[in-house]
């Protein structure tokens, strides 16, 4: 279903179509993915025409260019403007447009529409995290994973989530510039008063255990442990729902999945000795699954203990500290 969204570029506002089901929000163009501030726009005289530069996240430049330059050729033809996209190696966000006023405006509109249509294809860069940093819990998870390696056959060692990186994910974020990261951290910290009211004065203790799978147990790709309040107060769910809803309303989250409070323990990947390298290069491990039935039968009721949650973080995907914990760009303390 197509909806109409407003995207600002410089001093102008554009109505663009977007197919994001259930949401009319479009990630911002201001060298990032949020719509809180428009991108900067600079101008320089050039003959009888004018050249402007707009900041478009370099992560979406390939969609402006298209296969073998087809989309860029189409944009140039339809706008009659000269459009220059920087080479990938430059790591620049600046796209230049040169032409008469109506040509430049048409080119901007077309570019913004391409960005709006393709932003959801850009990989997420961060996530909102409740890190679980209890050493005893991490030890128990590590011990379980060693037992799981015996039961789960043909899985790679990298399938097992590092015990130091255990966390609860509240939402995935697409933050494409330092400015966007700063805004997301500031937005998180702006929720401090409401978060404090939800958490209250007692420590937020979370119990983790009771294994389950995201898919059918016979074709499992993700094995997780449930997480819940140790004191059955409901504070964990209220906190998670509140923070996610706030980030969603602010346009940071475009996921269609409902919030599921859990802790991933295993993400199945095939053992290298069994994987066809060419097939993995094309498909990765997304289609790989394991029969988790025997594992759940033996360990399904296992408890990993209780952990005090001390922070909400804007964590970086795929970036880990030496102890395995996800690196983060900012946090809100719950202590």
């Amino acid at each position: 279903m197509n909806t109409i969204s407003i995207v600002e570029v410089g001093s102008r506002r554009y109505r663009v179509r977007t197919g994001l089901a259930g949401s009319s929000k479009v990630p911002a163009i201001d060298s990032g993915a949020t719509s809180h501030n428009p991108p900067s726009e600079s101008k320089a005289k050039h003959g009888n025409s004018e050249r402007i530069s707009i900041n478009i996240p370099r992560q979406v430049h390939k969609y402006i260019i298209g296969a073998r330059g087809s989309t860029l050729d189409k944009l140039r033809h339809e706008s009659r403007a000269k459009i220059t996209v920087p080479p990938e190696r430059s790591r620049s966000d600046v796209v230049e447009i040169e032409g008469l006023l109506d040509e430049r405006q048409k080119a901007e509109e077309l570019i913004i529409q391409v960005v709006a249509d393709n932003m959801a294809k850009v990989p997420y860069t961060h996530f909102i995290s409740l890190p679980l940093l209890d050493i005893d819990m991490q030890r128990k998870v590590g011990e379980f994973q060693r037992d799981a390696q015996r039961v789960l056959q043909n899985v790679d060692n990298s399938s097992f989530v590092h015990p130091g990186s255990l966390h609860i994910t509240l939402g995935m974020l697409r933050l494409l510039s330092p400015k966007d990261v700063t805004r997301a951290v500031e937005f998180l910290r702006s929720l401090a008063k409401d978060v404090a009211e939800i958490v209250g004065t007692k420590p937020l203790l979370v119990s983790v255990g009771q294994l389950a799978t995201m898919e059918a147990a016979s074709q499992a790709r993700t094995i997780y442990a449930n997480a819940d309040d140790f004191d059955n107060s409901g504070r964990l769910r209220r906190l998670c729902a509140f923070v996610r809803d706030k980030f969603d309303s602010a346009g940071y989250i475009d996921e269609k999945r409902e919030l599921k409070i859990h802790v991933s323990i295993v993400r199945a990947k095939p053992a290298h000795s069994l994987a066809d390298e060419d097939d993995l290069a094309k498909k990765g491990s997304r289609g790989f699954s394991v029969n988790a039935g025997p594992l759940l039968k033996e360990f399904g009721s296992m408890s990993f203990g209780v952990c005090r949650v001390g922070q909400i973080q804007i964590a970086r995907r795929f970036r880990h500290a030496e102890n395995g914990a996800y690196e983060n760009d900012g946090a809100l303390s719950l202590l």
Side-chain angles (χ1 to χ4, degrees):
M1 176 180 178
N2 286 329
T3 57
I4 299 297
S5 299
I6 303 298
V7 176
E8 295 186 3
V9 175
S11 59
R12 288 184 287 279
R13 306 177 76 201
Y14 300 97
R15 291 169 59 85
V16 299
R17 300 182 310 278
T18 175
L20 293 178
S23 172
S24 61
K25 304 177 185 67
V26 177
I29 309 302
D30 175 17
S31 65
T34 64
S35 59
H36 306 294
N37 288 306
S40 60
E41 182 175 318
S42 60
K43 301 181 180 180
K45 291 295 182 181
H46 188 77
N48 294 325
S49 64
E50 192 171 286
R51 185 174 67 250
I52 65 172
S53 61
I54 57 175
N55 290 329
I56 302 290
R58 61 181 178 274
Q59 292 90 337
V60 294
H61 286 186
K62 65 179 180 180
Y63 301 111
I64 298 174
I65 296 171
R68 299 182 180 180
S70 58
T71 303
L72 184 57
D73 288 342
K74 181 180 179 181
L75 297 177
R76 288 168 174 166
H77 176 75
E78 292 186 8
S79 67
R80 297 184 180 276
K82 179 180 178 181
I83 304 171
T84 304
V85 180
E88 185 176 355
R89 64 179 179 275
S90 73
R91 300 187 64 79
S92 171
D93 290 328
V94 177
V95 173
E96 293 187 343
I97 303 173
E98 183 179 336
L100 302 176
L101 177 61
D102 60 337
E103 295 170 341
R104 298 194 310 272
Q105 290 180 341
K106 181 63 175 178
E108 286 184 74
E109 292 173 0
L110 293 172
I111 289 172
I112 300 311
Q113 185 64 63
V114 170
V115 173
D117 289 344
N118 291 281
M119 186 65 82
K121 299 176 183 178
V122 178
Y124 295 112
T125 60
H126 294 71
F127 60 97
I128 311 168
S129 170
L130 297 182
L132 305 178
L133 304 178
D134 183 82
I135 294 177
D136 189 53
M137 177 177 289
Q138 294 174 359
R139 177 185 58 79
K140 290 179 180 178
V141 169
E143 292 173 351
F144 159 74
Q145 290 175 335
R146 286 190 287 275
D147 289 332
Q149 284 180 302
R150 168 179 55 82
V151 180
L152 295 177
Q153 299 179 356
N154 306 329
V155 297
D156 191 72
N157 289 339
S158 63
S159 300
F160 299 94
V161 175
H162 192 295
S165 67
L166 298 175
H167 67 278
I168 298 170
T169 298
L170 306 190
M172 303 302 296
L173 304 175
R174 194 176 283 109
L175 308 176
L176 304 183
S177 76
K179 185 181 293 185
D180 288 317
V181 173
T182 299
R183 289 175 184 149
V185 172
E186 290 175 349
F187 183 74
L188 172 63
R189 290 173 177 165
S190 74
L191 306 178
K193 183 178 179 181
D194 291 318
V195 165
E197 291 180 358
I198 294 172
V199 175
T201 58
K202 295 181 179 180
L204 181 59
L205 301 179
V206 176
S207 60
V208 177
Q210 299 293 323
L211 297 175
T213 59
M214 289 293 184
E215 307 79 17
S218 60
Q219 295 180 313
R221 292 193 295 272
T222 300
I223 301 172
Y224 68 89
N226 286 284
D228 207 346
D229 294 88
F230 177 66
D231 59 4
N232 297 316
S233 65
R235 290 182 297 159
L236 176 63
R237 176 158 294 279
R238 291 199 300 273
L239 174 66
C240 294
F242 171 78
V243 174
R244 182 184 171 96
D245 287 348
K246 286 296 183 180
F247 271 84
D248 184 21
S249 298
Y252 283 101
I253 295 176
D254 61 10
E255 292 183 280
K256 301 180 181 68
R257 295 180 298 179
E258 293 184 0
L259 173 64
K260 184 177 181 64
I261 301 175
H262 70 284
V263 182
S264 295
I265 305 293
V266 180
R267 300 188 184 98
K269 300 175 185 177
H272 291 309
S273 60
L274 299 175
D276 182 283
E277 292 185 2
D278 291 335
D279 189 53
L280 276 180
K282 295 177 182 178
K283 301 180 181 179
S285 58
R286 288 174 296 176
F288 181 75
S289 63
V290 296
N291 180 8
L295 183 73
L296 297 182
K297 183 176 180 180
E298 185 172 352
F299 299 101
S301 61
M302 186 171 186
S303 171
F304 298 109
V306 177
C307 176
R308 181 176 183 177
V309 179
Q311 287 186 330
I312 308 173
Q313 296 180 348
I314 303 297
R316 300 178 181 180
R317 292 188 76 195
F318 313 121
R319 297 287 296 275
H320 299 270
E322 290 185 3
N323 64 355
Y326 280 97
E327 295 181 359
N328 72 89
D329 285 303
L332 173 62
S333 175
L334 301 179
L335 302 179

